[in-house]
Amino acid sequence: MASNAVMEETLQILKDHKLRVTPQRHIILAYLVSHHNHPTVEIIRDALGKELPNMGASTIYNTLNTFVDHHLVVELQNGDGSTHYDYFGTPHYHAICTNCGRIVDVTYPGFSDTEKGLEEKTAEISGYMISGNHMEVYGLCPECQIKLGIKNNE
Amino acid sequence: MASNAVMEETLQILKDHKLRVTPQRHIILAYLVSHHNHPTVEIIRDALGKELPNMGASTIYNTLNTFVDHHLVVELQNGDGSTHYDYFGTPHYHAICTNCGRIVDVTYPGFSDTEKGLEEKTAEISGYMISGNHMEVYGLCPECQIKLGIKNNE
DNA sequence: TAATAGATGAGAACCATTCCAATGTAATGA
DNA sequence: TCATTACATTGGAATGGTTCTCATCTATTA
């Protein structure tokens, strides 16, 4: 269960985006804000089952799609066949393990300059009016490197 | 139909990757090498129907997945529900229209430095052993800007 | 040329996601 | 506060892209 602070914060986020505040939206957003586990719809359903047992899968899909439209949340694919969701409160990107699918958030000072540079170059070259970007980096997570007996040569 | 030069080039690519050379693989790769239309399985099937009328959808999926595993081809989602494929001969990334789904290839001098920088930072921060990345930029393509009557303020 | 590991093809199966229609409810304003 | 209404939620059915199965075929090799 999310803290009071998170509940207040997420309530405000919904209002700021002029989204009708329903218990379902509130609790789903609070879950995403307070967890960085990049959940699927199924994981969210299981996690919130105690608080809203009758919440339909369609509602979760609808809600997440709404959040994505409002750029509150981003969708991620890690190769397991279902979509993962991540609250996008602060700019970051994702490293995805090609072996186990683990997703971790990454950022560093100067990342936003990299982003900005990419977007400006893209606008210049393609003529697109840019609204956003996605960056992902693939590789083996530390656990899988060990599991697969791979030597890191540095 | 792909040119002789493309057929020779793609034959060599298959051999270099130690992939068994079948007519299906050869023609699909040749199609991808000579078209930059980011096709779906259905589009490929239609385009090659005259040359190999009995080619099954499973074969196209199998073939493309094999190419993806060998990093010859990348998968793209533009929001229309199906996967698009792109031969990845030279480093580039994609700009995707959020209105009509149009995908265009983009690159610029210095892009590979941006990529390299991102990968190095990611390895350093996450401990992942990096094998690749994907960058995408979203926005409205020039046609949709006009269609939607959007003024470009620059 | 024979042996065989691997590829193909047709259709069934899968399953994440969307659609639909009925019901419920949050926001608005009188 | 209450009535109105536009929007959200539900649950189940439908959708459709992708994978699976397995019998058949074939590219490679020795």
Side-chain angles (χ1 to χ4, degrees):
Chain A
M1 172 65 184
S3 72
N4 287 341
V6 170
M7 292 310 281
E8 280 177 35
E9 179 192 352
T10 48
L11 180 60
Q12 195 54 50
I13 294 171
L14 290 174
K15 287 180 177 172
D16 289 348
H17 285 262
K18 304 206 190 315
L19 290 170
R20 183 178 292 196
V21 178
T22 67
Q24 292 84 353
R25 286 178 173 179
H26 198 175
I27 198 178
I28 291 172
L29 184 57
Y31 179 81
L32 290 170
V33 165
S34 53
H35 293 75
H36 301 125
N37 55 346
H38 311 94
T40 60
V41 165
E42 195 186 352
I43 291 171
I44 294 172
R45 199 205 224 307
D46 290 347
L48 302 181
K50 286 152 198 154
E51 306 177 54
L52 284 177
N54 296 323
M55 185 163 56
S58 337
T59 300
I60 305 180
Y61 279 106
N62 287 340
T63 300
L64 291 170
N65 287 339
T66 301
F67 290 167
V68 169
D69 290 344
H70 285 257
H71 299 102
L72 285 170
V73 163
V74 295
E75 298 182 330
L76 299 168
Q77 313 286 341
N78 71 344
D80 72 355
S82 55
T83 303
H84 295 248
Y85 296 87
D86 187 31
Y87 175 66
F88 206 70
T90 54
H92 64 272
Y93 62 98
H94 299 95
I96 302 179
C97 181
T98 52
N99 189 242
C100 71
R102 180 192 305 259
I103 302 170
V104 299
D105 296 346
V106 187
T107 190
Y108 55 86
F111 168 60
S112 70
D113 289 336
T114 300
E115 271 190 300
K116 193 180 296 182
L118 184 74
E119 293 193 353
E120 282 172 1
K121 277 289 186 187
T122 306
E124 190 182 318
I125 296 164
S126 69
Y128 275 46
M129 179 176 294
I130 309 304
S131 57
N133 71 74
H134 268 314
M135 300 192 189
E136 290 179 352
V137 178
Y138 306 110
L140 288 174
C141 71
E143 287 75 5
C144 284
Q145 290 174 42
I146 294 169
K147 206 177 298 169
L148 299 176
I150 289 171
K151 283 217 183 69
N152 198 329
N153 52 348
E154 35 174 355
Chain B
M1 171 67 183
S3 71
N4 287 340
V6 169
M7 293 308 283
E8 279 177 35
E9 178 193 352
T10 50
L11 179 60
Q12 196 55 48
I13 293 172
L14 291 173
K15 287 181 177 172
D16 289 347
H17 284 262
K18 304 208 191 314
L19 291 170
R20 184 179 290 197
V21 178
T22 67
Q24 292 83 353
R25 285 178 173 179
H26 198 175
I27 198 177
I28 291 172
L29 184 57
Y31 179 80
L32 290 170
V33 166
S34 52
H35 293 75
H36 302 124
N37 54 345
H38 313 92
T40 60
V41 166
E42 195 186 352
I43 291 171
I44 293 172
R45 197 203 228 304
D46 290 347
L48 303 181
K50 286 152 198 158
E51 305 178 55
L52 285 176
N54 296 324
M55 185 162 56
S58 343
T59 299
I60 304 180
Y61 279 106
N62 287 340
T63 299
L64 291 170
N65 286 341
T66 301
F67 290 166
V68 169
D69 291 345
H70 284 258
H71 299 101
L72 284 171
V73 162
V74 296
E75 298 183 332
L76 299 168
Q77 314 286 340
N78 73 342
D80 71 355
S82 55
T83 303
H84 293 248
Y85 296 87
D86 187 31
Y87 175 67
F88 207 69
T90 54
H92 64 273
Y93 63 97
H94 299 95
I96 302 180
C97 181
T98 52
N99 188 243
C100 72
R102 180 192 303 260
I103 303 170
V104 299
D105 296 346
V106 187
T107 190
Y108 54 86
F111 169 59
S112 71
D113 290 336
T114 301
E115 271 190 298
K116 193 181 295 181
L118 184 75
E119 293 194 354
E120 283 172 0
K121 278 290 184 186
T122 307
E124 190 183 319
I125 296 164
S126 69
Y128 275 46
M129 178 177 295
I130 309 304
S131 57
N133 70 73
H134 268 314
M135 299 192 189
E136 291 178 350
V137 178
Y138 305 111
L140 289 175
C141 71
E143 286 76 5
C144 284
Q145 290 174 42
I146 293 169
K147 205 177 300 169
L148 299 177
I150 289 172
K151 283 219 182 68
N152 198 329
N153 52 349
E154 36 172 357

